[in-house]
Amino acid sequence: WIGGRADERVRALSSCLAMMAGQRAGPLEEDLNKNPFLCVLQKSFEGLYRRAVERGDAMLVVPCAECLDGSSFDQVFVETHVLRAAPVPGCFINLCGQGVEVKDSSVHTDLGFAEKRICEVLQTESMYEFGNHFRVLITDRPLIGRF
């Protein structure tokens, strides 16, 4: 070490390594109570949300808040992200009648979509409302629209 500053450099390196060890690996978890899409779904589309959840086979694809910067949500956008189980494992039909496949840690748009898209699942949650449990997949982008 030049100039006899070895102790200072060791302390700085140790401090840096300690800070890095305390950090989480990966992104922070999404707070679903603050997700703009889920809030709009629950408030502005409450009837649709209630009917989907009460059926007992619903799964919601919720785009992360970061990818929704300033987006507005119409009926088609909302119905695209509400899924019902199909007879084939891993396959779902959204409320627009389009096919969606969930495999590994991604959601694939399939049958009926204008654009094929693969959305990464960032987080999986279980929710309970209206007497039923259902899964919520938080993804890195929406199934349709800009991202």
Side-chain angles (χ1 to χ4, degrees):
W1 298 84
I2 299 172
R5 297 183 180 237
D7 288 340
E8 289 177 29
R9 289 185 178 147
V10 169
R11 277 194 299 272
L13 181 59
S14 295
S15 175
C16 183
L17 290 173
M19 282 185 357
M20 289 172 60
Q23 291 178 345
R24 290 176 41 120
L28 294 175
E29 284 193 9
E30 180 93 353
D31 182 352
L32 288 177
N33 293 320
K34 295 180 182 175
N35 180 282
F37 172 73
L38 189 58
C39 290
V40 167
L41 174 60
Q42 291 172 326
K43 290 180 177 81
S44 300
F45 295 90
E46 182 186 3
L48 183 149
Y49 175 67
R50 176 182 285 273
R51 285 188 304 278
V53 171
E54 285 178 340
R55 284 181 52 122
D57 64 350
M59 179 162 48
L60 302 179
V61 176
V62 176
C64 67
E66 183 180 334
C67 74
L68 294 173
D69 190 34
S71 297
S72 59
F73 314 110
D74 62 10
Q75 181 90 16
V76 171
F77 188 91
V78 170
E79 289 180 355
T80 299
H81 291 82
V82 178
L83 310 180
R84 294 187 328 257
V88 178
C91 294
F92 298 84
I93 304 294
N94 66 22
L95 297 182
C96 295
Q98 299 163 308
V100 176
E101 186 176 6
V102 178
K103 59 182 173 183
D104 301 322
S105 60
S106 58
V107 179
H108 300 250
T109 59
D110 259 340
L111 183 66
F113 283 87
E115 175 187 351
K116 301 287 185 204
R117 213 175 262 191
I118 299 174
C119 304
E120 180 185 347
V121 175
L122 304 174
Q123 182 179 331
T124 302
E125 296 290 335
S126 179
M127 290 181 66
Y128 181 82
E129 285 201 70
F130 309 115
N132 287 305
H133 287 278
F134 57 97
R135 281 178 56 201
V136 178
L137 304 179
I138 296 91
T139 58
D140 66 338
R141 66 188 73 184
L143 298 177
I144 61 169
R146 70 179 181 88
F147 61 92

